[in-house]
Amino acid sequence: MKRVFSGVKPTGHLTLGNYLGAMRRWAATDQHESDALFCVVDLHALTVDHDPARVRRLSRQAASLLLASGLDPELCTVFVQSHVDEHARLSYVLECVATDGEMRRMIQYKEKAARERGRGGSVRLSLLTYPVLMAADILAYGTDEVPVGDDQTQHVELARDLAVRFNQRYGHTFVVPRATGPAVAARVMNLQEPTSKMGKSEDVGPGIVYLLDEPDVVRKKIARAVTDSGRDVVYDREERAGLANLLEILAACTGGDPAELADGYDSYGALKKDTAEAVVEVLRPVRERHGELCADPGYVEGVLREGAEKARAMARPTVDAAYRAIGLLPPVNAAR
């Protein structure tokens, strides 16, 4: 079976974009067709200024929402990144293979560093190097495929480059992964700024639909979504970004085609109403299951504990092999 790895970062409440762009596919397809691991990548949340209690709270919530979205611990491995030491162990080794230029060319580093400086803050070294940690997340498990949105493909390409470089210099150690993504709604956009991704790191804003939003809140946000100056309903991502975003969301919720759906509408109001109801119905079972899991925190903790044990057993042989290959002396007890 091919091995799949992906994760969510607990820097904000998970959104409709996270669900349509990734989580729904993980539950419907990846956990059934592959040896799949899904991780709350909490170490990545430390690259910018943060509230420790909030990171813990969002990590628990993210884990519960992964399960609420349909991930079954009998079919896949669900765990928290910091519970498996092999991620940090491998990250440093890969930093010794990566280059400063590679890190500084990463688009997300440029954008996030610019925001930090714009706020008058200092840029943490971890913000520069975290793509290497992301590569370690992937390579530690012999991952074949990484299901990601198009904004994350650059990070998977870095993981590929580091795997190839390490294998060439020190002997074959890592599987070279590839990125995969859904055909529709791979990148759900902000309802108020349709040229920007619907990002979970923004905690407030009418352009972001969160998975735990009440139905009436969802309806209100979509009703107020930015459209365009024209009157006709057509699918044109370049010229009519707001309208295209709504059509793509509706298509992702209903299984339709954005261009074909556009032909069925003669007003923005009708499109917004149908899109809102489709989103409410898609999120309804997730919200209901999340409520059940919150009432049974022991179950979620047990899933994460067992998931970390499974993940550790899978990652350790590869990470130990990388340590040997790059020239590190084995521990004395292991040598015996």
Side-chain angles (χ1 to χ4, degrees):
M1 262 182 128
K2 66 184 178 185
R3 181 162 289 174
V4 166
F5 176 94
S6 200
V8 294
K9 184 165 60 173
T11 51
H13 300 288
L14 296 179
T15 72
L16 178 67
N18 297 123
Y19 183 69
L20 295 181
M23 295 163 64
R24 185 173 62 170
R25 171 181 166 169
W26 298 349
T29 303
D30 292 321
Q31 69 173 343
H32 297 284
E33 298 181 356
S34 60
D35 181 10
L37 300 98
F38 301 106
C39 181
V40 179
V41 287
D42 54 344
L43 294 175
H44 292 294
L46 311 184
T47 59
V48 295
D49 190 32
H50 63 276
D51 174 5
R54 185 171 182 273
V55 171
R56 285 190 290 270
R57 184 171 65 252
L58 289 175
S59 295
R60 293 190 190 98
Q61 184 186 88
S64 297
L65 282 169
L66 287 176
L67 297 173
S69 70
L71 293 185
D72 183 347
E74 297 296 321
L75 298 175
C76 64
T77 304
V78 180
F79 66 105
V80 175
Q81 179 191 33
S82 64
H83 295 176
V84 180
D85 293 344
E86 278 63 30
H87 291 253
R89 288 181 62 208
L90 182 56
S91 182
Y92 180 74
V93 167
L94 293 178
E95 283 185 16
C96 297
V97 178
T99 68
D100 176 75
E102 284 176 312
M103 297 300 98
R104 295 188 186 279
R105 285 194 296 271
M106 302 301 287
I107 294 171
Q108 290 206 15
Y109 169 72
K110 293 179 180 179
E111 294 176 347
K112 292 179 180 179
R115 282 200 297 269
E116 284 296 308
R117 294 189 184 101
R119 289 195 289 258
S122 57
V123 179
R124 301 186 183 192
L125 178 62
S126 57
L127 186 62
L128 178 67
T129 60
Y130 90 91
V132 179
L133 175 58
M134 187 178 294
D137 299 338
I138 297 166
L139 299 180
Y141 297 99
T143 302
D144 298 296
E145 294 184 358
V146 187
V148 292
D150 57 6
D151 61 317
Q152 292 290 333
T153 55
Q154 188 184 34
H155 289 140
V156 181
E157 287 302 313
L158 175 68
R160 289 173 56 84
D161 291 342
L162 295 180
V164 170
R165 191 177 306 153
F166 191 100
N167 290 346
Q168 290 174 342
R169 290 181 182 176
Y170 305 112
H172 185 78
T173 305
F174 299 116
V175 173
V176 180
R178 60 185 178 275
T180 60
V184 175
R187 196 177 191 190
V188 177
M189 311 307 279
N190 189 297
L191 295 173
Q192 293 298 314
E193 300 176 23
T195 58
S196 301
K197 188 179 74 166
M198 187 183 284
K200 65 180 179 298
S201 296
E202 303 170 45
D203 289 334
V204 295
I208 306 168
V209 175
Y210 297 104
L211 297 188
L212 297 179
D213 277 347
E214 294 290 338
D216 284 347
V217 173
V218 173
R219 294 184 182 102
K220 183 179 295 185
K221 288 180 177 179
I222 294 178
R224 295 176 177 175
V226 168
T227 49
D228 307 282
S229 58
R231 292 178 175 273
D232 54 327
V233 178
V234 295
Y235 179 64
D236 186 335
R237 176 182 273 276
E238 297 300 322
E239 300 297 328
R240 313 283 290 278
L243 196 57
N245 189 35
L246 290 174
L247 288 165
E248 289 188 351
I249 291 171
L250 180 60
C253 290
T254 62
D257 175 83
E260 293 177 2
L261 287 170
D263 293 337
Y265 292 94
D266 55 16
S267 73
Y268 291 172
L271 172 62
K272 288 182 174 181
K273 183 176 184 300
D274 286 356
T275 301
E277 293 308 317
V279 171
V280 166
E281 289 308 310
V282 161
L283 296 186
R284 189 184 305 281
V286 177
R287 292 179 63 255
E288 291 175 352
R289 178 58 177 152
H290 179 263
E292 295 170 358
L293 291 169
C294 286
D296 188 8
Y299 171 76
V300 177
E301 291 172 2
V303 168
L304 295 179
R305 182 173 56 252
E306 293 176 9
E309 291 172 357
K310 288 171 60 180
R312 197 175 300 118
M314 283 187 270
R316 183 164 294 168
T318 298
V319 178
D320 286 348
Y323 269 49
R324 290 192 301 271
I326 206 170
L328 297 177
L329 191 67
V332 173
N333 59 349
R336 293 176 181 173

